[in-house]
Amino acid sequence: FDRNLASRGLGGIPALTFTDHADAPAFSIMRQIDVTKDCLYFKTRLFDMHEMLKKFPKQGYFPVVRLLEDGEAVLVASMARRNVDRLINMLDPHATHPEALIDLMDPELQRPSDGSPPLIDGCPPHVSPSTTVKEVYLVMRVAHGEGAVYVTRDGCLLGDITFASLMSFQP
């Protein structure tokens, strides 16, 4: 496993677990997220979804948030890049209705009645800012694969950590 990570330019498990880095808080390695510019809103337009794909061409997952009056935002879901694209193509295949408003909290998107895979993860993996790096690694490996883990405080989104950034982080 470590050889595979090393071939991809990632540090591997020993670099993660046998250094001071392992006990660092998630807050110290997360990518800060501007909730007004870097997230999908729970009620959004197809145009905004398309713009998010263009603005972040390498991002694999997008947080879905509900804005609060104080400028913070509650993390309510997450959406994989491929599912953002799939939803746009399903709802507007000819790109004729970019202003159409979509409720990303529609239960049909989280648990489709036709049995197809969900387009929205209504319970995205998240940790507190004080969670250690090695605990974040365990959350990713044991429960959620190589996607993103969000860092939240009292439900409000602060940032994210991807598997690649976790394994390649240099203190």
Side-chain angles (χ1 to χ4, degrees), residues 2 12-23 134:
D2 284 331
I13 307 309
L16 178 64
T17 56
F18 299 115
T19 65
D20 292 338
H21 171 59
D23 293 320
K134 63 184 168 189

Side-chain angles (χ1 to χ4, degrees), residues 31 33-34 37-39 50-63 81:
R31 174 185 69 100
I33 293 178
D34 180 336
K37 298 177 184 173
D38 303 341
C39 300
H50 180 72
E51 287 298 304
M52 193 68 65
L53 292 175
K54 285 182 6 186
K55 182 177 178 182
F56 300 104
K58 296 183 185 208
Q59 189 166 322
Y61 295 85
F62 297 96
R81 173 180 207 82

Side-chain angles (χ1 to χ4, degrees), residues 32-96:
Q32 287 189 311
I33 293 178
D34 180 336
V35 295
T36 62
K37 298 177 184 173
D38 303 341
C39 300
L40 292 168
Y41 299 138
F42 80 103
K43 288 192 178 180
T44 191
R45 300 175 305 166
L46 290 171
F47 175 81
D48 298 324
M49 294 172 72
H50 180 72
E51 287 298 304
M52 193 68 65
L53 292 175
K54 285 182 6 186
K55 182 177 178 182
F56 300 104
K58 296 183 185 208
Q59 189 166 322
Y61 295 85
F62 297 96
V64 178
V65 299
R66 180 178 214 133
L67 287 176
L68 301 176
E69 290 178 11
D70 62 3
E72 293 185 307
V74 174
L75 177 66
V76 295
S78 177
M79 195 168 188
R81 173 180 207 82
R82 68 184 176 281
N83 289 340
V84 173
D85 195 41
R86 189 169 143 212
L87 184 60
I88 292 169
N89 289 325
M90 282 173 39
L91 298 177
D92 194 18
H94 303 294
T96 55

